[in-house]
Amino acid sequence: MPIAMNAGRGILQYTLAMSCLCLLTVRPLHAQRNAGIFYSTLFAKERPLKWATHFGDGAVRCFLRDVNGDGKDDAVAVYANGGKSGAVEVALSDGHTFLTPVHALTFRGQWTFIQPLMGDLDGDGKADLLFRDMTTGDAYVALSGDIAFRSAVRWKLPQEEAPGRQAFLADINGDRKADLLVYQGAGKWVTALSTGHGFGIPYPLASGFGADEETRIVGDVNGDGKADLITGDFSSGTWKVALSDGKQCSGEAVWATGLTGSKIFGDKQDSRPPVCMMYDIDKDGRDDLICWDKNGACSWSAAYSTGKGFGPPQTWVANFLHGEHKNNIPDAGFGMPGSPDGKKAAVMIVSGGKWLGLEYPGRGKTADPALIDTWEAWGNDYIPDGGTYDSGDPAVNDRQIRQIHDAGFTYVTLDITNGSNAWVDNRARQFMERLRYWNRHLKPGDHKMYANISLGITRGIEGEDAFFNRLNQECKRAWEEFYLPFKDLYYLLKGKPLVIHMITTGWKYVKDIDTWKGDRAYIDKITCRWMDGTQSGASGEKSNCYGWVIPEKYGNVADPEMMPVMPGFWNGLTFVGREDGDFYRSQWMRVIQYAPRSVWVNSFNETWEHTAVEPSHHVIDRFVANPLFTKPWSDHYGNRMDDFYWIMTRQYNRLFMDNVLLQGTYFQEYGDSTIFRATATGFIKQTAWPVKAPVLLLPEGFRKTFKGKIVDPQR
């Protein structure tokens, strides 16, 4: 796509308000300059969450069961509609990921009334498929053949006994073969025992059990090898169990009270009752009560079985895939516990063809997917060069520091703006340790690198005293936790450590920071600067504002101390389009025009909010909600160019910092569509847009006033 050009490809479009820039002249660059770039330390990549993609999308049912008997649960998808109607696909687990799915069976039936179930019906250690007709009660069984299933055959049941509202496969009599259990309503349960090649005659399993409860599930809660009946009411919080004696389930007993939805998930619980399952997640031989609030908290909770009751609920997975992510990723359609690695219990969710798995962390612990694989948990749609990474990985840090250094930057602002989170803060410290290593091992031509911290707990504070008291505490934290341990590399502004505070209501108090009379012990140690947490932007009168959003083209405030630049922004709420690079270069042009003492780039790698300039590929995904972000970065001709923004950043920053143009740089002057190329012999006029190269926008008259050098890009 052309940069800042219309469909006619040749006429630069400018608003009347922007035309005043033509009157400005290029000011000489300051002798002492600095360039900073924002870096997000929130990205964890301890192990992948993703087990499969493009599998199970549109399925009527997904299962996590061991199909080939190797002890590892496999992924199974059953399709009822579209071109795959009747198809069953299996993706075997290798303990780390699901292998390429294979077609395992086609079942022809009236899918409107078919209920697929899975269980080991013949006792060979492999999960089989049962297709149950909910109107007639007919059962069709496809036994497992390791990967593919054998053809489905009818296991006959007397029609008058089999139909019912709910059906389960579970081993009632302890012979290791799954039996058919059917709840027929009014508290009546029937079962048909499996012989391994058919069902016996159905008979009453329980009566008067579960008639008034909203949840009915089946599992072995006392560890005797026989499945029991469990019912629960999320309104009253009462849970009851009828234990199996091998033939029938009886002796109704209360196993828990007060176990309501709000007790389990708190205020975030959705108005709909959670989905409940039974699974032995702690591997003590007893099935535990698993509750999944799939549309509310998106969390999983376990009430562990003691053999005689359920203990208090404990959250073991938190915030696992919200459908309100900016990429419009749908809520998980299916979720199930299992053991895909054959060792530990895990929870697996399926959303839009993605299978995401998170292993059980142990009793009393909570697993947060963002701390395991932030990229996948939060739906980032950028893939950096070399793949997604952990922002505390020393090898990654070393590579990125070299990259940032070579682009002419002198300091890195580390993002800890969302409170005190060990997972983020520790990665910030790890990054600073690598900066220290860099500074102690400089090679010829290298310069020292510095870092500072951006905090954010002063957001939403009302009242001047309250604001400055909180600000003082925030400065104290920055001083003690980040400045004192890293004095040798902490970035100073006006002789004091620079701390950037993300604020909202505090803007009305900022003007009084030098005259406020309260406890300012740590405020006085710090040079405080600001980020705008209201997302109204670093524009208007907000000079020396380091973002967060810079919402206007040509809108970064001209201030002699610092000017910020940003390529675009989108966090699902606020949208500022990249305009194929024109938004970014419009702000850089003003930096070159006004030549402040410092420039600050938002950001190197904040991909979740679309401000990144790190070499990356923007993945085209059908779940991305905003079409303006569905194109990969590309040149004028549409050629994919992962480093489009990074090349532009490097070229602009070297010009700003060192007053040099890198050989091969293409540029236009403001108000002129003519493109020039910087070469060792001067500026060469071009007859066409370059291939796989950005075009800088520079102030009017740049060529005439430029007194710098044109240097080799490797310098």
Side-chain angles (χ1 to χ4, degrees), residues 113 115 132-139 157-167 180-185 188-191 202:
F113 309 109
Q115 178 187 19
R132 178 174 175 270
D133 189 316
M134 293 180 287
T135 59
T136 66
D138 288 341
L157 290 164
Q159 288 187 345
E160 66 273 11
E161 293 290 346
R165 291 160 51 186
Q166 289 178 280
L180 178 63
L181 287 68
V182 178
Y183 178 69
Q184 295 184 315
K188 182 181 179 182
W189 298 71
V190 298
T191 187

Side-chain angles (χ1 to χ4, degrees), residues 630-675:
T630 60
K631 294 180 296 183
W633 299 336
S634 60
D635 68 2
H636 169 73
Y637 301 99
N639 298 309
R640 172 178 161 180
M641 193 175 172
D642 295 359
D643 55 359
F644 177 83
Y645 284 97
W646 187 246
I647 288 177
M648 202 187 315
T649 300
R650 184 169 184 255
Q651 291 172 343
Y652 268 126
N653 200 45
R654 288 296 304 276
L655 176 61
F656 168 74
M657 287 291 291
D658 305 320
N659 199 24
V660 302
L661 272 175
L662 301 181
Q663 290 179 20
T665 298
Y666 294 89
F667 67 90
Q668 297 170 301
E669 292 184 4
Y670 183 87
D672 188 349
S673 62
T674 307
I675 298 173

Side-chain angles (χ1 to χ4, degrees), residues 348-382:
M348 187 74 63
I349 60 174
V350 185
S351 171
K354 270 186 185 177
W355 293 63
L356 305 178
L358 190 60
E359 70 179 31
Y360 171 67
R363 280 200 181 213
K365 299 178 181 179
T366 300
D368 188 333
L371 277 63
I372 305 300
D373 185 350
T374 318
W375 304 88
E376 197 62 58
W378 285 1
N380 283 24
D381 49 352
Y382 291 79

Side-chain angles (χ1 to χ4, degrees), residues 43-98:
F43 292 118
K45 190 66 183 291
E46 295 186 0
R47 55 186 177 276
L49 288 178
K50 186 166 58 182
W51 281 68
T53 56
H54 308 296
F55 175 54
D57 192 11
V60 68
R61 186 69 191 273
C62 290
F63 297 94
L64 186 63
R65 301 299 297 266
D66 183 6
V67 170
N68 61 353
D70 65 353
K72 296 185 284 287
D73 285 336
D74 310 302
V76 181
V78 181
Y79 300 88
N81 305 302
K84 290 186 177 181
S85 181
V88 177
E89 294 180 340
V90 172
L92 294 179
S93 171
D94 66 0
H96 305 283
T97 188
F98 292 130

Side-chain angles (χ1 to χ4, degrees), residues 611-625:
T611 62
V613 295
E614 178 184 19
S616 306
H617 177 53
H618 188 195
V619 180
I620 300 177
D621 192 299
R622 67 187 182 87
F623 297 126
V624 177

